[in-house]
Amino acid sequence: MAQERYTLSGTVSEADTGETLIGVNVIIPDLQTGTVTNQYGFYSITLPQGDYEVYYSNLGFATKTMAISLQQNIQQDIILEIDTEELNEVVLKADVEKLNIKKPQMSVNSLSMETIKQLPVVLGETDVIKSITLLPGVTNAGEGASGFNVRGGAADQNLILLDEATLYNSSHLFGFFSVFNPDAIKDLTLYKGGIPARYGGRVSSVLDIYQKDGSKREFRAKGGIGLVASRLLLEGPIKRDTASFLVGGRSSYAHLFLPLFDNNNVAYFYDLNTKISYNLNKNNRLYLSGYFGRDVFSIADSFANSFGNTTFNLRWNHLYSDKLFSNLSLIYSDYFYGLELKFVEFDFDSGIQNLNLKYDFTHFLSEKIDLRYGLNSIYYSFNPGDIKPTTEGSGINPFKLTDKYAFENAVYADAEVILSGRLAIQAGLRVSTFNRLGQDALNIYKDDNPILYDETLEIYQKATPIDTLAFSRAETIKSFAQLEPRVAVAYQLNDNTSLKASYNRMAQYIHLISNTTSPTPFDIYAPSGKYIEPQLADQVAIGYFKIFDRYSLEIESFYKTVRNRLDYVDDADLIANNAIEQILLNGEARAYGLEVLFRKTEGTLQGWIAYTLSKSEQRTPGRALVETGINNGAWYNSPWDKTHDISVTAQYEWSKKWFFGANMVYQTGQPTTFPSGQYTYNDIVVPVYEARNSSRLPSYHHLDLSATWVPKPNSEKRWKSEWVFSIYNVYNRKNAASISFRENTDINRNEAVRLSIFGIIPAITYNFKF
């Protein structure tokens, strides 16, 4: 007779605030099995009838042990106390690591906010984005540049989610800060490969970030005062143990002091995080969250630039049964980009808006099978540009570029199955469609070819439209459909070692049209359509994973190809271009590499060493034999190719009063294109350039240190504070953001000029909470 099986389920939350906890390990050592809480703190596991010891463990919290007599289905909510002195830490940690070794998920990195806050960063401001660039396979986009690159991919190929809402720009002040207020963040996970089927829309990576819910027990406040920016976060109960609020704000203010130095330039940012959480009853919860951020940057009488994200998300969690969890979300996201060119007296505004409805289900079928499935629909509205004169006599006529619209839909199913004691698999399929909807004016070209090639001059030229058609919003101009399979396998060699492999296909239907060489990076998003194909990426990865007494080792190798990667012809004009298809060519990209992550996860000294050896290339061949394409159709280094990337990160607890942090970074210099010569034509000096991206900037490296002093670590008072002292770039390395060439009239010779943004930067930040 088969043994009866019952389900143990519930929610895990923090004792002080009632905040639900993500990624809590729920372990049953007797059966050598377990599960983890989802992004809303819910867990469920089905076990044979019997008596068990169940361990609930999460970093920074005291492990809780429950004796469970499983004679029927049990709903067991758990509250964990904050405690860094875990008596059973070593024993339990071994069980936790073994659970991770068994899981097929690979190419995933998670960082706790406590770890991130201990890392020294520029200007003393804790930064999520700069922290993940210390992980293998992730690099910064350049000194003072926005975004990050993952496994040889472009910055726009990363899906960045904040409470499930898409952010189209992750940086403030062009990369000096990230848009994420560290005090408001609960959890973050970066997927570099083996990406689950519930994610789609980008071909490189997914950065999934959740905000805190807000304390349901008592009012709390925390914040920090720094040299260039300050922040404040308030949270508390609306109704104790039932409803809570969270509101946090940040702003920089260094620009207020610039007039003292006769400097008329302006550069500042501000942002706001909000959230309301409400427990309707045991099976239903509502969340309303939002984010608003803006950057303002101007140079005297030349230009002014403003850009930022706005998001709102209304979510409903519903528990249909102890095995079936659901989340329904209605999400609004907006990215605005504004540019005022003062010397020609006009404003240029552009942006992208979307409305997203998604419904996700998590079905815990048994202790060996977890099933996730769902659907989502996204409506896009693209504003390529709206030009308005700023004065009556500017000579500029108002001009509105044609708005574009699209509708993206997807359904997915993803299963994680334990096939045996040593073998586990995660397999999924995402089916996505993209409809380019009607617009007021669509250019029609002869032979559907918007870009022509002149064989005599060997250059590409814009084709002249032969007609312009108008479509209603209900019509579909062009539609696409893609099957996106995902699979990951883990085979356990022994209790401490496993081999893993994964494959995923991803489709990306929207494209970033950007010119990052201009004084202000120019960003416009364009949808796939009649003349632009969606990007398609295929990635395979294999890995070796091992845990030691206090250490862990992860080695992964990957190979990725991307079809329909756009590139621009020479002398492409992006600003106010109402026919962007006339300057774009379809190409391909590939990236491959080896990643190593060695971590020490226990003791007073913790940290990791990350190393990446990789190659990232692009190719845009001619469409016919007579065409040269770009770079004569040969492979060339992508702008984000970094052969070597090494980072060493350490945190040391000297005492309860003093904590120290350090990180060292070394990267191969970014590819660039230098002039190889020049000639004079009609008294005009014309430079001759080498093959695209065949040279490199000097290598990039710096060492950062920090010290955190907690004046009264054992104080029973509610007011607690700390001082953070940091030095970015200790040995004052002048890393090159770019190298330009000019004629030195004093010596009548050309010279190379290095632009460096950061030297050594000391900073002091005062953090407090009560």
Side-chain angles (χ1 to χ4, degrees):
M1 181 177 177
Q3 188 177 7
E4 292 288 341
R5 310 178 75 81
Y6 298 104
T7 299
L8 173 65
S9 63
T11 300
V12 183
S13 58
E14 178 185 336
D16 289 351
T17 64
E19 184 91 30
T20 56
L21 297 174
I22 301 174
V24 176
N25 293 281
V26 183
I27 301 171
I28 298 90
D30 291 345
L31 300 179
Q32 293 188 350
T33 189
T35 186
V36 296
T37 58
N38 67 8
Q39 61 267 43
Y40 297 99
F42 179 77
Y43 74 95
S44 176
I45 186 168
T46 300
L47 305 168
Q49 178 181 0
D51 298 332
Y52 302 103
E53 292 285 325
V54 183
Y55 292 83
Y56 297 86
S57 169
N58 197 36
L59 181 66
F61 293 85
T63 298
K64 192 161 191 173
T65 306
M66 296 290 295
I68 301 293
S69 181
L70 201 58
Q71 308 300 324
Q72 59 182 359
N73 293 336
I74 296 177
Q75 186 166 347
Q76 182 68 62
D77 294 337
I78 298 296
I79 296 176
L80 295 184
E81 301 278 351
I82 296 177
D83 188 358
T84 58
E85 302 292 335
E86 298 186 28
L87 297 178
N88 298 321
E89 180 180 12
V90 175
V91 176
L92 184 63
K93 180 174 172 52
D95 290 328
V96 171
E97 293 287 4
K98 288 177 182 177
L99 183 62
N100 293 334
I101 285 287
K102 292 180 178 180
K103 284 187 168 293
Q105 185 68 65
M106 64 181 299
S107 306
V108 174
N109 293 116
S110 296
L111 287 176
S112 71
M113 289 311 302
E114 292 305 314
T115 298
I116 292 174
K117 289 178 180 179
Q118 293 174 12
L119 301 177
V121 292
V122 64
L123 300 174
E125 181 74 12
T126 298
D127 196 299
V128 169
I129 299 298
K130 286 186 172 57
S131 299
I132 65 173
T133 61
L134 299 173
L135 299 170
V138 187
T139 64
N140 62 359
E143 186 78 272
S146 300
F148 58 97
N149 305 111
V150 177
R151 288 186 169 176
D156 69 298
Q157 294 175 335
N158 303 316
L159 177 63
I160 303 173
L161 301 173
L162 179 63
D163 277 352
E164 302 179 333
T166 302
L167 296 181
Y168 291 93
N169 190 313
S170 62
S171 300
H172 282 310
L173 296 184
F174 305 116
F176 295 169
F177 300 93
S178 78
V179 300
F180 305 106
N181 184 338
D183 292 334
I185 302 304
K186 174 169 39 176
D187 179 84
L188 68 89
T189 303
L190 176 68
Y191 298 86
K192 301 178 294 184
I195 299 173
R198 64 184 179 272
Y199 298 109
R202 300 293 187 277
V203 296
S204 192
S205 74
V206 177
L207 179 60
D208 198 4
I209 299 179
Y210 280 87
Q211 294 187 118
K212 294 177 179 178
D213 297 338
S215 174
K216 291 184 174 65
R217 303 281 164 77
E218 60 182 2
F219 175 81
R220 290 169 170 257
K222 64 169 56 177
I225 303 172
L227 295 179
V228 296
S230 292
R231 64 190 190 279
L232 177 66
L233 182 134
L234 306 175
E235 58 179 320
I238 299 173
K239 182 179 180 182
R240 183 174 173 82
D241 291 329
T242 300
S244 63
F245 75 91
L246 177 145
V247 57
R250 288 190 306 168
S251 180
S252 64
Y253 38 74
H255 66 286
L256 298 176
F257 303 102
L258 293 179
L260 299 178
F261 304 96
D262 293 327
N263 190 326
N264 294 325
N265 300 332
V266 173
Y268 67 91
F269 74 86
Y270 56 92
D271 54 30
L272 178 70
N273 298 76
T274 61
K275 193 168 187 178
I276 295 176
S277 307
Y278 184 53
N279 296 349
L280 296 174
N281 53 44
K282 201 169 188 178
N283 295 329
N284 295 278
R285 297 185 180 188
L286 286 178
Y287 302 88
L288 177 62
S289 60
Y291 169 83
F292 178 82
R294 278 291 182 270
D295 279 70
V296 177
F297 176 58
S298 68
I299 296 182
D301 297 326
S302 298
F303 67 84
N305 186 208
S306 174
F307 60 91
N309 301 277
T310 302
T311 68
F312 295 100
N313 187 0
L314 176 62
R315 285 171 288 164
W316 169 47
N317 287 175
H318 178 63
L319 190 62
Y320 284 96
S321 71
D322 51 12
K323 291 186 178 181
L324 182 57
F325 179 91
S326 72
N327 178 70
L328 176 65
S329 297
L330 180 63
I331 307 163
Y332 170 80
S333 182
D334 171 84
Y335 176 66
F336 167 82
Y337 185 92
L339 180 64
E340 179 187 356
L341 297 176
K342 299 180 181 179
F343 56 92
V344 290
E345 300 179 329
F346 76 81
D347 284 340
F348 180 88
D349 295 339
S350 66
I352 174 175
Q353 298 176 326
N354 68 59
L355 187 64
N356 183 3
L357 178 67
K358 61 193 298 285
Y359 204 7
D360 300 302
F361 298 86
T362 306
H363 207 153
F364 304 92
L365 297 179
S366 70
E367 80 273 21
K368 292 187 177 181
I369 303 176
D370 288 347
L371 181 64
R372 303 188 70 153
Y373 48 91
L375 55 88
N376 74 286
S377 297
I378 308 174
Y379 176 78
Y380 293 97
S381 175
F382 299 84
N383 171 19
D386 188 4
I387 298 176
K388 299 176 182 178
T390 55
T391 63
E392 292 184 1
S394 67
I396 300 295
N397 295 320
F399 181 62
K400 178 73 174 70
L401 277 67
T402 304
D403 288 340
K404 301 175 176 65
Y405 306 90
F407 197 33
E408 182 177 352
N409 297 281
V411 294
Y412 74 89
D414 204 347
E416 185 172 327
V417 183
I418 300 175
L419 298 176
S420 69
R422 292 185 178 272
L423 183 63
I425 185 171
Q426 179 178 320
L429 177 65
R430 184 181 183 89
V431 181
S432 61
T433 63
F434 189 84
N435 294 330
R436 176 71 176 271
L437 302 179
Q439 61 189 58
D440 294 338
L442 177 71
N443 289 336
I444 303 299
Y445 302 91
K446 182 180 179 181
D447 299 325
D448 284 341
N449 186 10
I451 183 169
L452 304 177
Y453 183 73
D454 189 315
E455 296 182 39
T456 303
L457 299 177
E458 295 186 339
I459 60 173
Y460 287 94
Q461 296 178 327
K462 299 175 181 179
T464 302
I466 59 175
D467 198 0
T468 301
L469 301 180
F471 298 85
S472 71
R473 298 289 178 270
E475 293 183 84
T476 296
I477 298 174
K478 185 70 179 288
S479 62
F480 305 91
Q482 296 293 337
L483 296 177
E484 304 177 41
R486 323 283 172 88
V487 63
V489 180
Y491 181 75
Q492 201 170 354
L493 300 177
N494 54 50
D495 286 347
N496 301 319
T497 311
S498 69
L499 297 176
K500 298 185 182 184
S502 69
Y503 163 79
N504 65 252
R505 167 169 286 188
M506 306 283 284
Q508 180 169 335
Y509 297 102
I510 64 174
H511 311 261
L512 177 64
I513 311 300
S514 176
N515 179 12
T516 56
T517 62
S518 62
T520 169
F522 182 77
D523 295 345
I524 289 180
Y525 282 88
S528 298
K530 186 173 179 62
Y531 306 111
I532 300 177
E533 296 290 320
Q535 298 180 68
L536 295 175
D538 293 278
Q539 181 179 193
V540 293
I542 57 174
Y544 173 83
F545 302 81
K546 187 174 183 62
I547 56 172
F548 307 90
D549 181 27
R550 295 188 171 191
Y551 306 90
S552 67
L553 175 66
E554 302 175 15
I555 302 175
E556 291 192 39
S557 181
F558 68 91
Y559 184 84
K560 176 170 60 177
T561 61
V562 180
R563 284 179 280 166
N564 301 324
R565 180 64 185 166
L566 296 178
D567 210 337
Y568 319 117
V569 299
D570 294 335
D571 301 319
D573 55 325
L574 301 183
I575 297 181
N577 190 333
N578 206 25
I580 202 74
E581 67 273 5
Q582 295 177 340
I583 60 171
L584 299 175
L585 289 176
N586 272 343
E588 59 182 325
R590 66 185 181 190
Y592 47 91
L594 178 71
E595 300 171 357
V596 180
L597 179 61
F598 182 73
R599 294 184 297 173
K600 184 177 186 293
T601 55
E602 295 181 43
T604 55
L605 176 64
Q606 299 185 19
W608 66 83
I609 300 173
Y611 171 67
T612 305
L613 173 67
S614 64
K615 187 68 177 175
S616 176
E617 300 174 299
Q618 292 183 217
R619 181 174 68 169
T620 309
R623 299 165 298 178
L625 292 177
V626 297
E627 294 188 16
T628 58
I630 295 176
N631 200 50
N632 292 317
W635 287 99
Y636 58 92
N637 295 324
S638 68
W640 37 87
D641 174 59
K642 308 283 182 69
T643 307
H644 301 284
D645 181 10
I646 305 171
S647 60
V648 181
T649 302
Q651 301 93 37
Y652 181 67
E653 183 180 352
W654 174 267
S655 66
K656 294 298 181 183
K657 284 191 173 185
W658 284 99
F659 299 85
F660 298 95
N663 54 260
M664 184 280 293
V665 174
Y666 172 89
Q667 295 176 1
T668 301
Q670 283 186 268
T672 188
T673 306
F674 290 149
S676 57
Q678 66 182 39
Y679 64 90
T680 303
Y681 179 75
N682 289 338
D683 296 327
I684 299 175
V685 177
V686 181
V688 177
Y689 286 90
E690 61 189 1
R692 185 173 293 202
N693 287 347
S694 57
S695 294
R696 290 185 181 272
L697 298 177
S699 59
Y700 172 92
H701 53 87
H702 59 84
L703 171 67
D704 315 321
L705 300 174
S706 71
T708 302
W709 176 51
V710 183
K712 298 178 181 180
N714 300 317
S715 173
E716 298 297 327
K717 295 181 179 180
R718 288 200 59 187
W719 181 277
K720 298 183 184 299
S721 63
E722 64 181 20
W723 290 88
V724 181
F725 309 92
S726 64
I727 302 177
Y728 176 86
N729 196 1
V730 171
Y731 51 85
N732 199 30
R733 165 71 175 179
K734 300 294 185 180
N735 287 302
S738 65
I739 292 180
S740 58
F741 292 82
R742 68 186 182 189
E743 181 184 3
N744 188 324
T745 55
D746 294 333
I747 58 176
N748 292 322
R749 294 184 62 183
N750 293 333
E751 63 181 4
V753 180
R754 175 189 297 198
L755 171 64
S756 298
I757 297 177
F758 293 132
I760 183 172
I761 302 179
I764 300 176
T765 303
Y766 176 72
N767 296 324
F768 60 88
K769 61 181 179 180
F770 60 88

